[in-house]
Amino acid sequence: MTEDPFVVHRSLLFTVAYEMLGSSADAEDVLQESWLRWADVDRTQVRDPRAYLVRTVTRQALNRLRTLSRSREEYVGEWLPEPLLTSPDVAEDIELAENVSIAMLTVLETLGPTERAVFVLREVFEVPYGEIAEAVGKSAAAVRQIARRAREHVAARRPRVPVSRSEQQAVVERFLAALRTGRLQELLDVMAPDVVLIADGGGLAAAAQAPIHGAALVASMLALPGRAVSAVWLNGAPAGRIEIDGRVAAVSLVVEDGKVTRIHAIANPRKLTRLDEPAELAR
């Protein structure tokens, strides 16, 4: 028996939904809704099941994203994407790893729903403009313009200098070692002077409700003893898992020129449910 196309392409469909929503829980809901629609389709009329399913997931994710955009305006403190535990193998696909990174998902959050859908489908999954037009309900010409604007928007906000996997891993290891010791100078040595710490507690965990700027202030906040710090792979990149007094946080770092320039700390417990089993991501 031939395996159902939805099952065959499930990792791809999850990745599309997650890239658009920044939440695995919402992505799973979108997949469930898409599966119900797929179950009612006359398969003999579907020429390209993969393309059909990507369009279906995109439409459902767009509907969900428009709803979430309103609720995120009322979110307590800073909103960050939900981190996913991934295997180191995800990093082998450099483009996939870059596009599912916490840093990139945070940038994508600054796009409108349609712009985000077009950017994700075109730049990440290389979907033809005609298929994107069908998915988002626009003309192919309009989609090209949207893609150009979204590309420029993202390029202006993403990290300026590409970093090799080995350099990223070395700097992350230094940062995590400094966290373990809680020594102020070791933290200062690994961070850029203008480092920014963004924390997401969602009103459910202790976290700064606005970004913290500057190495001295960030280091003084992080230089605390009694933490269990372990290295993990999150969203295709080396990262950290921190436990203190039974509470867990995930830490993702942006590295430029051998220094940590941005720290994303997710402490909202509702966003930490995917830290025990690696997510399967695919393009």
Side-chain angles (χ1 to χ4, degrees):
M1 181 181 295
T2 304
E3 195 167 11
D4 189 289
F6 193 97
V7 177
V8 171
H9 299 300
R10 193 184 190 287
S11 294
L12 164 68
L13 300 176
F14 174 83
T15 308
V16 170
Y18 174 71
E19 279 254 17
M20 287 185 60
L21 299 167
S23 161
S24 67
D26 289 313
E28 291 289 0
D29 286 346
V30 162
L31 258 61
Q32 179 65 25
E33 293 161 3
S34 300
W35 164 253
L36 293 174
R37 283 161 175 73
W38 174 246
D40 290 335
V41 169
D42 179 357
R43 312 292 171 83
T44 63
Q45 301 301 308
V46 179
R47 292 193 302 273
D48 185 343
R50 181 183 184 275
Y52 183 94
L53 288 167
V54 168
R55 288 197 300 272
T56 300
V57 165
T58 299
R59 292 188 189 113
Q60 296 306 313
L62 264 174
N63 292 338
R64 179 62 62 95
L65 189 56
R66 287 171 180 138
T67 301
L68 290 173
S69 294
R70 290 189 290 273
S71 65
R72 287 177 185 172
E73 291 175 359
E74 302 170 358
Y75 194 79
V76 178
E78 296 291 315
W79 185 95
L80 289 174
E82 181 179 346
L84 297 180
L85 184 68
T86 54
S87 71
D89 293 344
V90 172
E92 298 296 335
D93 185 338
I94 295 173
E95 287 190 24
L96 176 61
E98 180 180 353
N99 284 299
V100 299
S101 69
I102 296 294
M104 176 59 84
L105 292 173
T106 303
V107 171
L108 294 184
E109 191 66 16
T110 63
L111 293 170
T114 301
E115 287 180 314
R116 185 166 183 169
V118 169
F119 181 89
V120 167
L121 293 179
R122 183 62 189 169
E123 300 301 315
V124 182
F125 298 99
E126 301 178 344
V127 175
Y129 287 112
E131 290 184 22
I132 299 175
E134 287 187 56
V136 302
K138 303 281 186 181
S139 69
V143 164
R144 287 179 183 274
Q145 291 299 314
I146 293 169
R148 179 184 58 77
R149 290 196 304 269
R151 194 160 46 241
E152 292 172 353
H153 179 97
V154 171
R157 290 162 176 79
R158 73 199 313 173
R160 296 182 297 275
V161 182
V163 178
S164 69
R165 176 176 167 180
S166 59
E167 180 183 352
Q168 173 88 10
Q169 194 159 5
V171 175
V172 170
E173 287 173 356
R174 284 181 59 206
F175 179 83
L176 295 180
L179 275 186
R180 287 189 192 97
T181 65
R183 292 174 183 161
L184 187 65
Q185 189 58 51
E186 291 181 8
L187 283 165
L188 288 170
D189 289 344
V190 76
M191 294 190 299
D194 58 351
V195 65
V196 180
L197 167 64
I198 302 173
D200 177 348
L204 301 174
Q209 294 195 12
I212 306 299
H213 297 262
L217 189 53
V218 171
S220 67
M221 293 185 65
L222 296 179
L224 298 172
R227 292 173 170 171
V229 180
S230 56
V232 293
W233 285 82
L234 298 177
N235 295 62
R241 174 183 174 132
I242 302 171
E243 296 184 40
I244 182 168
D245 297 331
R247 299 188 301 274
V248 177
V251 176
S252 175
L253 307 174
V254 175
V255 174
E256 298 178 51
D257 298 324
K259 299 282 188 176
V260 174
T261 59
R262 188 166 292 255
I263 304 166
H264 296 113
I266 302 105
N268 184 341
R270 292 177 180 171
K271 295 185 177 184
L272 302 175
T273 60
R274 297 293 294 259
L275 295 185
D276 294 321
E277 182 178 353
E280 295 187 12
L281 303 176
R283 286 199 297 162

